[in-house]
């Protein structure tokens, strides 16, 4: 594993360099180690991973700047928890930089949450193939309502026996990322 310092923080880079690039935006309550099994499975599928140590205070413009620093022009984007919120923003606002989107447990920012709160009503729809992976307790209604904010192939994967998708369903999450990263 290689550590690279960019303007938004430290990025853990590993895996084969001749495959697609998967950028993982972790939840603030998680560590890079929480994604180790997911990354290992992605490496076995020929994908290189770039996992940010922290997304605290990082906006979509700053993340695009970090991708430029890493010489990543076209990425598969994965977001978990509040990292999912950032992933939605990047995919929605930077068409042509993201080739696929996989998020764990979070609906599009323009969809009202269970309490009626909308994170960002101005967030555009995404125009890339998108998958939302839900664990137990994640709000299914919001995930399915997100479909109207995805102008490409969209699917929801429900994992009813899982509380934490990255740590308890690494194989399932990695499978969804690999499926989205394949040009078929």
């Amino acid at each position: 594993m290689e550590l690279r310092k960019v303007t938004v923080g430290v990025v853990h880079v590993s895996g084969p360099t001749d495959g697609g690039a998967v950028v993982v935006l972790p939840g603030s309550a998680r560590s890079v180690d929480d994604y180790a099994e997911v990354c290992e499975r992605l490496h076995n599928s020929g994908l290189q991973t770039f996992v940010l140590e922290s997304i605290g205070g990082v906006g979509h413009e700053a993340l695009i700047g970090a991708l430029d620093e890493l010489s990543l022009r076209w990425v598969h984007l994965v977001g978990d928890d509040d990292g999912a919120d950032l992933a939605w923003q990047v995919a929605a606002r930077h068409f042509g930089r993201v080739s696929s989107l996989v998020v764990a447990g979070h609906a599009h920012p323009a969809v009202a949450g269970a309490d009626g709160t909308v994170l960002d009503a101005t967030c555009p729809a995404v125009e890339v193939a998108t998958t939302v992976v839900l664990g137990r307790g994640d709000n299914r209604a919001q995930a399915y309502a997100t479909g109207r904010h995805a102008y490409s192939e969209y699917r929801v994967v429900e994992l009813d026996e899982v509380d934490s998708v990255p740590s308890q369903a690494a194989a399932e999450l990695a499978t969804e990322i690999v499926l989205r990263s394949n040009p078929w």
Side-chain angles (χ1 to χ4, degrees):
M1 178 186 311
E2 176 186 354
L3 298 178
R4 293 191 194 167
K5 178 78 172 133
V6 293
T7 55
V8 297
V10 176
V11 180
H12 295 246
V13 182
S14 55
T17 58
D18 58 347
V22 177
V23 175
V24 179
L25 305 175
S28 56
R30 298 198 192 282
S31 75
V32 172
D33 294 336
D34 291 331
Y35 302 93
E37 186 179 347
V38 173
C39 289
E40 181 180 339
R41 290 173 179 277
L42 296 176
H43 302 157
N44 290 337
S45 296
L47 298 167
Q48 186 175 29
T49 57
F50 296 79
V51 184
L52 273 71
E53 247 181 36
S54 170
I55 58 141
V58 176
H60 62 90
E61 292 289 347
L63 184 61
I64 291 297
L67 296 180
D68 289 341
E69 289 177 64
L70 294 165
S71 298
L72 298 175
R73 301 288 173 240
W74 189 250
V75 300
H76 306 285
L77 198 53
V78 179
D80 175 35
D81 197 26
D82 48 344
D85 298 332
L86 178 57
W88 281 112
Q89 293 286 344
V90 172
R93 297 180 187 280
H94 300 280
F95 183 77
R97 295 300 299 268
V98 178
S99 61
S100 68
L101 175 64
V102 176
V103 295
H106 277 241
H108 186 279
V111 173
D115 63 357
T117 304
V118 174
L119 289 178
D120 182 359
T122 67
C123 185
V126 296
E127 297 184 44
V128 297
T130 302
T131 300
V132 175
V133 182
L134 300 174
R136 177 184 13 230
D138 292 330
N139 198 316
R140 273 112 178 97
Q142 280 73 27
Y144 284 100
T146 290
R148 69 179 180 270
H149 297 280
Y151 296 166
S152 187
E153 202 275 323
Y154 176 73
R155 63 189 242 126
V156 176
V157 175
E158 297 185 37
L159 305 173
D160 293 331
E161 300 301 317
V162 173
D163 291 316
S164 170
V165 172
S167 46
Q168 294 177 321
E172 292 86 344
L173 181 58
T175 297
E176 294 304 323
I177 297 164
V178 169
L179 286 172
R180 286 296 183 203
S181 67
N182 196 316
W184 303 110

